[in-house]
Every structure is written in C-alpha cells, then in structure tokens.
Amino acid sequence: MTPNFELIPFASADELARAAAGAWLDEIEAANRAGKTHCVALSGGRIAQKFFAATVAQAKARAVSFKRVHFFWADERCVPPTDPDSNFKMASELLFLPLNISAEKIHRLRGEDTPSVAVKIAESELCRIAPRNENHQPVLDLIFLGMGEDGHIASLFPDSPANILDIAVPFLVVENSPKPPPTRISMSYKTIFAAKNIVILVSGAGKEAALRTSLQPDGRTPLARVLQSRPVKIFSDLAKF
C-alpha cells in the first residue's frame, strides 16, 4: 500500500516543537469553540521535552483553556509514576503542573500495576470517554508519536509477533522490549489507526535511515505500517530530508 503522509521539515528541534505545539493548540481552541471534548494521546522521548515546554509557553501566551482536554498515552514503561523512565512523570513535570491540568483529565497508564491489570484499566478509561467507530475502536482526536532509530512507534517494535499486529483491544502488554525497561504497555495498531489525526515527531541523529525506509511503499517498520494504513503528518528536523 502506498504510504499516505505529509512530511513537514524544520531546521531544528526547537522549531519543530514550537510548530507542533502551535498546531495542537489550534485544535484545542477549535474544540473549545465547538463545545467539544478533545482526547489526545501523548508519547515520551527526547523531543517530547521540547514539545511540552513549547506547549506551555504558547498556551500561557494565548490563554488557551485545557478544561475540555483529556490526556491519554500511546505507551508507558512498566515503572512507578515517580520513576525517571516514566512517560507520565515527564508530562506531569513539564506539561500538567505548569498548566494546572485537573487530575480528572489525566488518564495515565498504570506502569506500577500488574501489566495485564493495567491494560484493562486503560481500556476502560479510554472507552469511557472517547467515542467508538464502526469497528468498536475508541477514536482519539489526536495521537502524538515519536519514532525510534529502528522505526518503532509507541512501544510497537520491528519483528513483533503476528498477534501484536492484529490485536483488537486498545492496549497490550509488550514483553522483552529491545529497549529498556523490557516490559511496557502500548496502544495497539488498530487503535492508532482509528484516531482522527496522527502527528509523528521525528527528531534526533541516527534516525535518517529508519525514516527513509518507513516512507517507502514496501517499508516494513512499525511507522511504515501506520503510514500504509491512514494519513499521517510527520514533523521532522532531519537535515537529509
């Protein structure tokens, strides 16, 4: 299948982060004007730090209200929420606390719980708030994803077992991750595919080959699988593209 994407280049990670933050705040303001809930899933990674900081700065300057925004995660490491590896911890410190986000709007993946229990809780929370499509998948308004040096997105890695590719539930347990920590929770491909919008933030040295491969019609990376299934926006600061 031909990849369906818009590749938007930036000169630096800071410029990328500012543009992504501004585009997201535009969506939040549009939802506010329409009186609608905005459901977003966040990811971790180095670029997320700059993205969260840029969001806070612009949100304060624009006086954007987050009262209608519900926060979910594309993936989480199976660690406590106070652990330095926790995606929630990063978002809490750099985004939620500076913006005084209400705790009832934050639906974290419970990395400290038994993983099989945590995915059930996450599914219940997401399906309680997000609408479902005709395939009974919860529909997020927006998912932010990063891309690893191997082309992975969320905690969906290359050469995953076949059952992971087609799993129908919103979240799954990932064992033996090639990157530490080994046990993680990830949003499934089908729930990612169902989102209204997806933005991939690709930043950092060493990712050029994975991105180039992912953009090919016969690409086989996790990112390629997403691009071959639905439209995606890619914000990239990789100089060779």
Side-chain angles (χ1 to χ4, degrees), residues 73-79 85-89 108-111 155 183-186:
W73 271 263
D75 71 323
E76 182 58 279
R77 289 79 177 264
C78 288
V79 296
D85 281 334
S86 168
N87 286 338
F88 165 78
K89 183 177 189 293
R108 69 180 180 89
L109 296 172
R110 297 181 59 83
S155 283
T183 306
R184 300 169 174 228
I185 298 167
S186 181

Side-chain angles (χ1 to χ4, degrees), residues 63-101:
V64 176
S65 171
F66 283 76
K67 290 182 178 179
R68 295 183 178 275
V69 182
H70 283 268
F71 295 90
F72 299 89
W73 271 263
D75 71 323
E76 182 58 279
R77 289 79 177 264
C78 288
V79 296
T82 55
D83 191 287
D85 281 334
S86 168
N87 286 338
F88 165 78
K89 183 177 189 293
M90 181 197 299
S92 179
E93 293 177 349
L94 300 181
L95 186 68
F96 302 148
L97 290 176
L99 292 177
N100 295 313
I101 301 298

